[in-house]
Amino acid sequence: MQAISDAVASAESEEIAVASALAVLRLRLGWNADSEARTEAITHFGPVALALFQAAKLPEHEPATNIGEALAIFEHWYSESRGSSFWLLFEHQIVDTPLVDF
C-alpha cells in the first residue's frame, strides 16, 4: 500500500492518480496480462486509489476517514467473490523466466 500511496500522492489529477495506483498494483502482483478476474479486481480497487488521492490533497489537520472504508469495501468484495483474502496474492512468488532468443 505504501508504493501505491506514494504513486498517488504525486499525481496532479484524479485520473492520473488512479491510473498510477493501478499500474503499481499490477506491477507488484506481476499482472502483465489481462484476464476477466484481474480486470474486475482492478476496477474494484479504483475507489481505494481515489480515496488515497483525495486524502493526499487534504490539509494535514483533516483526517482521511474514507481510505479505510474504501479499502474495507474492496477487501470484503474480494473475499466474497474470490473466497480468499486479496492480500494472499502478494504471498505468491513471481518466478523469473529467462528470455530465450531463437
Side-chain angles (χ1 to χ4, degrees):
M1 284 301 295
Q2 185 62 50
I4 292 170
S5 181
D6 291 344
V8 167
S10 63
E12 296 177 11
S13 70
E14 290 180 352
E15 294 81 15
I16 293 171
V18 172
S20 297
L22 299 181
V24 169
L25 182 63
R26 286 173 166 275
L27 180 67
R28 295 292 174 140
L29 291 173
W31 288 357
N32 299 324
D34 286 331
S35 71
E36 186 177 332
R38 289 176 179 177
T39 301
E40 189 177 20
I42 291 292
T43 300
H44 279 84
F45 193 82
V48 177
L50 184 57
L52 284 166
F53 175 75
Q54 291 169 345
K57 300 305 176 193
L58 287 174
E60 288 185 31
H61 64 278
E62 289 188 41
T65 57
N66 60 344
I67 296 171
E69 182 180 332
L71 190 55
I73 291 168
F74 171 76
E75 289 173 333
H76 178 74
W77 167 82
Y78 192 90
S79 68
E80 288 292 314
S81 66
R82 302 296 188 264
S84 67
S85 171
F86 172 73
W87 305 109
L88 288 176
L89 293 175
F90 292 92
E91 294 182 10
H92 295 288
Q93 294 257 339
I94 300 172
V95 179
D96 288 331
T97 54
L99 179 61
V100 179
D101 192 15
F102 291 101

